[in-house]
Amino acid sequence: MRHITILGATGSIGTNTLDVIKQHPESYTVFALTAYSQMERLIACCRYYHPSLAVVANAKQAEEVSRGLKGKMLKTEVLYGEQGLIAAATDARVDTVMAAIVGAAGLKPTLAAARAGKRILLANKEALVMSGQIFMDAVHQYRSELLPIDSEHNAVFQSLPMDYDRNLADRVRRILLTASGGPFLNHTETMLAQVTPEAAIRHPNWVMGKKISVDSASLMNKGLEVIEAYWLFGVPANKIEVVVHPQSVIHSLVEYIDGSVIAQLGSPDMRIPIAHALAYPKRMTSGANFLDLIRQGSLTFTQPDSTRFPCLDLAYRALDAGASAPTVLNAANEEAVAAFLGNRLRFMSISNVIEEALETVAVTQAKNIEDILEIDAMTRRIANRFINQETIH
Ligand code: NAD
Ligand code: MG
């Protein structure tokens, strides 16, 4: 029996994780569920999964959840704030932590899970992008086990040899991350200048949270994933490439020096990588549809267009610059995406804000997580100055 904490239980990844767990009640129990909004939903999940702990954002929410669980014969303790998240991630009764909070907010609890030596199922790519070296050092030092949930990285993981942490660079010629291209793949620059948040969050193949949906539309999601792959698999940036594959059937590929290419395929359903990581190294059913290649027909591949979608190149630039540059990239992107979703910034200006932030904030070497959070906060202030300067019309 595995005991699981789900950080971000009410989100898209959290909901899919609970769905997989529901199919295997004999193998998994839910220890803690955390949420930042949607208290009704959290209460409903607590009533069904009976966690020992529920964590919310503030005292008012904690009261609401406690009230909602009253008289239900549940022994769910309700905590709030950062300390609550860290308790959920590190409790001695937990062995597996699904890190599915969106953005920088997930960093501290995910890092705490690593330091507590947990098995981490990593969806929260922003945490790794902003603190790559420090996070990976903690994983190694405390013998935490890191399993990727991001479909591309889960595919790469499945396509690598079991002893992949040894001498991978000698054997692997390239890692090819596939990108769907998002909802604006075939938009002209004129069309891109006018897209709305509503259009940006309507992804053709996946139903996801708003932030990652906008990232998919701008291709920044793929940029973050290049950095994520760099840290997860320890291959240099020039061996990580992106190919646009609109059908989202091949989730990524590994090319070996002998010319062999190994890939993982499946229907676009996050329950597949989630079930893979939950059961690893075993296998179990996920509830996803099986892939029907005949019905699928053709699979196509093209190069990403860096003129219409400059964010991918910005991510490579940040990775090349190293040190704090990916932290800056991530923080500026989070602020720009929030401004776009709030109708304060045009879609095409997202990359301008990130580029200006990268050019303005000096590259420094963070020594600890406090340094990272300081760079993150400073970048957000600077990014907001640029956001206010960009005209919306
Ligand atoms: P989502 O917006 O649907 O859910 C986010 C979850 O985090 C919610 O439970 C929310 O309550 C919680 N949360 C938000 N802000 C918080 C804060 N400040 N403090 C604490 N909790 C907070 O997002 P999602 O689509 O499920 O994505 C989650 C993560 O997984 C992201 O990092 C995303 O990049 C990654 N990911 C998602 C998918 C997908 O298919 N949705 C695929 C790959 C990777
Ligand atoms: Mg992905």
Side-chain angles (χ1 to χ4, degrees), residues 246-257:
Q247 297 82 20
S248 297
V249 166
I250 299 182
H251 297 301
S252 279
L253 317 89
V254 178
E255 181 179 57
Y256 289 85
I257 50 173

Side-chain angles (χ1 to χ4, degrees), residues 8-138:
T10 48
S12 156
I13 292 289
T15 303
N16 278 310
T17 305
L18 287 172
D19 184 83
V20 175
I21 288 174
K22 191 184 198 169
Q23 300 169 50
H24 301 278
E26 69 295 343
S27 305
Y28 302 95
T29 56
V30 174
F31 174 78
L33 296 175
T34 88
Y36 193 68
S37 56
Q38 295 188 282
M39 291 304 115
E40 283 305 317
R41 191 164 182 160
L42 178 66
I43 291 167
C45 290
C46 288
R47 287 184 182 171
Y48 188 88
Y49 294 96
H50 297 194
S52 302
L53 182 60
V55 182
V56 294
N58 53 49
K60 193 164 162 266
Q61 287 181 346
E63 210 174 290
E64 184 185 342
V65 173
S66 298
R67 225 181 308 119
L69 297 179
K70 220 167 156 179
K72 296 287 167 195
M73 306 290 287
L74 294 180
K75 292 200 186 78
T76 305
E77 185 186 0
V78 186
L79 298 177
Y80 63 88
E82 194 174 282
Q83 284 316 310
L85 292 175
I86 289 175
T90 59
D91 192 285
R93 290 166 284 179
V94 175
D95 47 64
T96 305
V97 175
M98 167 56 82
I101 289 175
V102 58
L107 175 59
K108 278 197 177 176
T110 308
L111 186 66
R115 289 180 175 154
K118 306 297 186 195
R119 170 182 272 199
I120 300 174
L121 314 188
L122 185 75
N124 182 201
K125 65 192 89 184
E126 296 92 346
L128 186 57
V129 167
M130 66 192 289
S131 72
Q133 189 69 59
I134 291 171
F135 190 87
M136 293 310 290
D137 285 350

Side-chain angles (χ1 to χ4, degrees), residues 125 150-153 212 221-222 225:
K125 65 192 89 184
D150 216 344
S151 56
E152 297 76 4
H153 306 72
I212 184 176
N221 183 48
K222 217 44 59 179
E225 290 184 356

